[in-house]
């Protein structure tokens, strides 16, 4: 990043989007640390965003009061949503926060991190860590996988499931097994998907939570895995691969801002 780059604000789930009994503070802090290590000198802030987006407004207002680089291009902050796919309510909260900041603040909101091949890479990594997939690859395909059917669990409603189709195809190409996207908080959808995979010949079904972490109730996730008789990998969390996506979405948002000017 250039030395005069605008600030990067990592926006994560907050109430009511934050899953009950969870705290995204550590995951967000870890992602911020990884991003700072990859891009030293870049001003990085974090904020949890709830229905009133107060946390994000406070962070942006403080940046507007500081001497933050990037003023010459009309932007002093880029807000990157820490979500793996579309989440209309969360994204609307971000837009409202930006619109509700003082005139000293000039911020733009980036696109969600996914869908993107890097998300599939991170999911593959978490499955491998859980012993549910092999990391060995020949000609871009995994030679052997421990699970022979995978469910990509997402939050964010039907829009998120539709976009997760892309991630599922990318993951399937890496693992060479059937992969289907399912809404995590959509009732018995995961159990039904697991049953369908078994009906199609999958003997061992794995769940790959396509979430950063704060937005999912880990108890709900464990319950869904038990009901589906499937094994579950960890959420993506502060995966190093996400740093690439954060930088990409940051750059894309700046390009749009420059083009608009």
């Amino acid at each position: 990043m250039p030395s005069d780059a605008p600030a990067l604000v990592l926006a994560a789930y907050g109430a009511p989007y934050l899953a009950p009994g969870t705290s995204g503070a550590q995951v967000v802090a870890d992602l911020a640390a990884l991003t700072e290590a990859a891009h030293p000198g870049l001003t990085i802030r974090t904020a949890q965003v709830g229905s009133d987006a107060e946390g994000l407004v406070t962070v942006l207002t403080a940046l507007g009061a500081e001497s933050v680089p990037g003023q010459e291009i009309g932007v002093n902050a880029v807000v990157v949503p820490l979500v793996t796919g579309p989440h209309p309510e969360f994204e609307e909260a971000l837009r409202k926060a930006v619109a509700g900041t003082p005139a000293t603040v000039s911020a733009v909101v980036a696109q969600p991190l996914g869908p993107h091949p890097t998300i599939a890479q991170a999911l593959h990594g978490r499955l491998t860590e859980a012993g549910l997939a092999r990391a060995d690859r020949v000609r871009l395909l995994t030679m052997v996988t421990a699970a022979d059917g995978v469910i990509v669990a997402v939050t964010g409603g039907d829009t998120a499931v539709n976009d997760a189709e892309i991630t599922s195809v990318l993951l399937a190409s890496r693992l060479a097994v059937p992969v289907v996207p399912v809404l995590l908080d959509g009732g018995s959808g995961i159990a039904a998907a697991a049953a369908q995979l078994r009906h199609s010949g999958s003997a061992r079904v794995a769940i790959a939570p396509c979430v950063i972490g704060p937005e999912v109730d880990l108890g709900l996730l464990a319950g869904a895995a038990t009901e589906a008789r499937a094994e579950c990998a960890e959420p993506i969390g502060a995966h190093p691969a996400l740093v690439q996506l954060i930088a990409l979405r940051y750059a894309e948002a700046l390009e749009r801002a420059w083009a608009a000017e």
Side-chain angles (χ1 to χ4, degrees):
M1 298 290 180
S3 58
D4 61 346
L8 164 63
V9 180
L10 300 176
Y13 274 67
Y17 313 113
L18 190 67
T22 67
S23 172
Q26 189 58 55
V27 170
V28 177
D30 290 345
L31 276 173
L34 289 171
T35 305
E36 186 173 15
H39 304 284
L42 179 64
T43 300
I44 299 177
R45 299 288 186 269
T46 63
Q48 287 190 337
V49 179
S51 55
D52 58 4
E54 180 179 347
L56 180 56
V57 171
T58 300
V59 170
L60 292 176
T61 300
L63 287 171
E66 298 173 6
S67 177
V68 178
Q71 294 288 352
E72 67 277 8
I73 61 169
V75 175
N76 57 15
V78 176
V79 180
V80 176
L82 292 183
V83 288
T84 58
H87 191 297
E89 290 183 29
F90 182 62
E91 294 171 57
E92 180 62 22
L94 297 185
R95 287 189 289 268
K96 286 182 178 179
V98 170
T101 53
T104 54
V105 178
S106 177
V108 293
V109 179
Q111 295 296 314
L113 298 183
H116 191 274
T118 302
I119 297 291
Q121 175 189 341
L123 291 175
H124 186 175
R126 294 307 186 212
L127 286 167
T128 299
E129 291 168 358
L132 298 171
R134 286 281 300 277
D136 311 77
R137 302 177 71 190
V138 173
R139 296 181 182 178
L140 302 181
L141 291 178
T142 300
M143 295 171 60
V144 180
T145 57
D148 53 4
V150 176
I151 297 169
V152 172
V154 299
T155 63
D158 293 338
T159 302
V161 175
N162 291 337
D163 271 30
E165 290 277 4
I166 301 172
T167 301
S168 298
V169 170
L170 294 169
L171 185 59
S173 72
R174 298 177 67 94
L175 304 179
V177 301
V179 179
V180 295
V182 178
L183 190 63
L184 174 60
D185 44 6
S188 299
I190 288 183
Q196 183 59 46
L197 284 171
R198 291 191 180 92
H199 180 74
S200 301
S202 297
R204 187 181 184 190
V205 177
I207 299 174
C210 190
V211 293
I212 305 297
E215 66 272 38
V216 64
D217 183 338
L218 296 181
L220 177 64
L221 183 60
T226 299
E227 182 184 5
R229 293 183 290 113
E231 298 167 83
C232 190
E234 292 292 321
I236 293 173
H239 194 287
L242 294 188
V243 175
Q244 305 171 36
L245 279 182
I246 290 170
L248 174 64
R249 298 310 186 209
Y250 174 94
E252 290 173 343
L254 283 183
E255 287 176 4
R256 289 195 299 272
W258 289 332
E261 290 192 357

